[in-house]
Amino acid sequence: MNVLGIETTCDETSASVVSNGTRIITNVVSTSLELQSKYGGIVPEVAAREQVKLIVPVIDEAVGENKVDAVAVAYGPGLAGSLLVGVEAAKTLSLAWNVPLIRVNHLFGHIYANWVGENVPKFPLIALIVSGGHTDLLLMKGHGKFKWLGGTRDDAAGEAFDKISRLLGLGYPGGPGIEKEAAKWKGKTSLKFPRPLKNSGDFDFSFSGLKTAVAYLVEKSGKDASKAPITFEAQEAIVDVLTTKAVLAARKFKVKNIVVGGGVSANFRLRDVMKRAGEKEGLRFYFPEKRLSTDNGAMIASAAYYNQEKIDPLKLTARPDLYFD
Ligand code: KG4
Ligand code: ZN
């Protein structure tokens, strides 16, 4: 079964044809990021306008001569204007081609990026979503069978990377810039940033205090602030909290597999620390192929294949505030 997955929740316009939820036939990703980075963040109106420009060529390229058995679309959460473009395109194609329309929660899409490829994860598992807007832990016993365990009380992990990057003038999005700068720092630093809620025993997160700590330090040291150790320690703090909580969840619910998805899962230091924690604890961590960590249509097609939530095309509407309901 070939599913066309459409992803337009934020600044990426992506369409992908995936066979049986695991094999990518095409995956086209276009982004208005360069345009956005001029503003130091996403401007919703700019993102929506770019979505309108890109949606037809991106879908055209992804579909090509391929057979499409169903159309899937991320209908939330995300920016209202951006979401609308993908949702309307998907509805139109489903009606025009007379194929089912499947709706996908973007957050589940990030989890299912792990099903694309060879090493399909095994249930039961803990899923950790670490994106620009979300940080959530879930227990999954099967496709569509999940329990939300906790999430961030303030900033998401990706948002922490973005805000700290902004403070240090390292560009937008912040994750890649911070990772690169942090890699320049070899060895230890006397800096110690807080690890909020690390030992709280629950599955909630809080990252806004970390940004405040960096802001305070930057203000105090002014031009003398050396970026490499700050980015290094900030990344360590985020990675430490995420790893600790994911391992705690796996222990508590006695599962052996942990699936990580979302933009922050592209971070090499996170992957490394988690893998090592996994070896020590007898747990297996799964990560998407790096290009599938950030927003893409393939993960939407895969999530749709495994959770075929078909919907009447005339009834689907975008849900900017969609969460786990
Ligand atoms: O999942 P995503 O593409 O979009 C959302 O659904 O939000 O995630 C984007 C987030 C941004 O906050 C970005 O800074 C972060 O993912 N990110 C990274 C890395 N690459 C992207 N964070 C840490 N390290 C990276 N290499
Ligand atoms: Zn995303």
Side-chain angles (χ1 to χ4, degrees):
M1 178 184 178
N2 284 356
V3 179
L4 168 67
I6 298 175
E7 159 61 46
T8 65
T9 59
C10 191
D11 58 330
E12 266 92 20
T13 312
S14 178
S16 168
V17 178
V18 177
S19 159
N20 295 335
T22 56
R23 193 172 66 80
I24 292 184
I25 298 173
T26 59
N27 185 37
V28 182
V29 185
S30 194
T31 174
S32 59
L33 201 67
E34 239 170 76
L35 196 63
Q36 309 277 354
S37 56
K38 271 195 258 168
Y39 303 99
I42 306 264
V43 180
E45 290 76 14
V46 177
R49 220 178 310 130
E50 290 303 299
Q51 292 285 4
V52 172
K53 267 196 231 162
L54 294 167
I55 190 76
V56 172
V58 164
I59 291 178
D60 243 0
E61 190 183 335
V63 173
E65 300 296 314
N66 295 298
K67 181 167 84 65
V68 172
D69 302 303
V71 177
V73 64
Y75 72 112
L79 302 172
S82 291
L83 276 170
L84 196 64
V85 177
V87 166
E88 293 308 316
K91 287 160 73 173
T92 308
L93 291 175
S94 158
L95 288 167
W97 293 340
N98 196 23
V99 295
L101 178 65
I102 304 171
R103 62 177 196 179
V104 173
N105 179 330
H106 175 81
L107 299 171
F108 276 112
H110 277 306
I111 297 173
Y112 277 88
N114 286 283
W115 269 257
V116 180
E118 309 265 299
N119 298 315
V120 171
K122 288 186 186 63
F123 294 109
L125 54 85
I126 294 294
L128 172 66
I129 299 161
V130 275
S131 68
H134 292 83
T135 305
D136 291 287
L137 266 172
L138 286 84
L139 170 65
M140 288 181 77
K141 295 200 165 161
H143 297 296
K145 288 189 200 138
F146 69 92
K147 183 176 177 237
W148 180 83
L149 303 176
T152 185
R153 296 184 188 167
D154 41 57
D155 293 353
E159 202 174 346
F161 275 105
D162 294 337
K163 287 182 174 169
I164 292 167
S165 174
R166 186 176 209 157
L167 284 169
L168 297 171
L170 290 171
Y172 181 86
I178 293 206
E179 182 171 7
K180 204 168 147 208
E181 187 68 24
K184 293 181 190 161
W185 186 258
K186 308 280 180 225
K188 291 212 179 303
T189 154
S190 55
L191 279 176
K192 189 81 183 166
F193 289 138
R195 269 105 170 122
L197 301 185
K198 181 183 166 187
N199 298 312
S200 61
D202 59 14
F203 302 111
D204 283 352
F205 299 88
S206 165
F207 291 107
S208 69
L210 184 59
K211 170 206 65 196
T212 310
V214 174
Y216 179 72
L217 182 76
V218 169
E219 200 182 279
K220 212 175 59 179
S221 2
K223 283 204 173 58
D224 301 333
S226 170
K227 289 178 192 174
I230 298 175
T231 53
F232 175 85
E233 170 58 12
Q235 181 173 266
E236 291 302 300
I238 297 170
V239 166
D240 186 10
V241 175
L242 292 175
T243 307
T244 304
K245 294 259 164 153
V247 168
L248 180 74
R251 268 200 220 134
K252 173 155 181 199
F253 294 98
K254 301 190 170 50
V255 310
K256 294 279 173 217
N257 301 307
I258 303 176
V259 162
V260 191
V264 179
S265 73
N267 188 282
F268 187 72
R269 179 70 182 152
L270 179 78
R271 290 178 179 227
D272 196 38
V273 169
M274 285 185 161
K275 264 184 208 146
R276 268 193 255 169
E279 277 159 23
K280 208 171 122 212
E281 301 275 340
L283 303 170
R284 171 151 186 204
F285 276 92
Y286 291 84
F287 299 93
E289 206 185 299
K290 196 174 166 188
R291 66 177 171 138
L292 301 178
S293 281
T294 47
D295 294 350
N296 65 86
M299 68 187 198
I300 303 303
S302 181
Y305 175 80
Y306 288 106
N307 304 270
Q308 299 191 12
E309 231 191 299
K310 293 183 184 131
I311 181 158
D312 178 347
L314 298 174
K315 295 212 173 110
L316 183 64
T317 50
R319 294 264 312 272
D321 299 319
L322 183 67
Y323 197 38
F324 295 107
D325 50 25

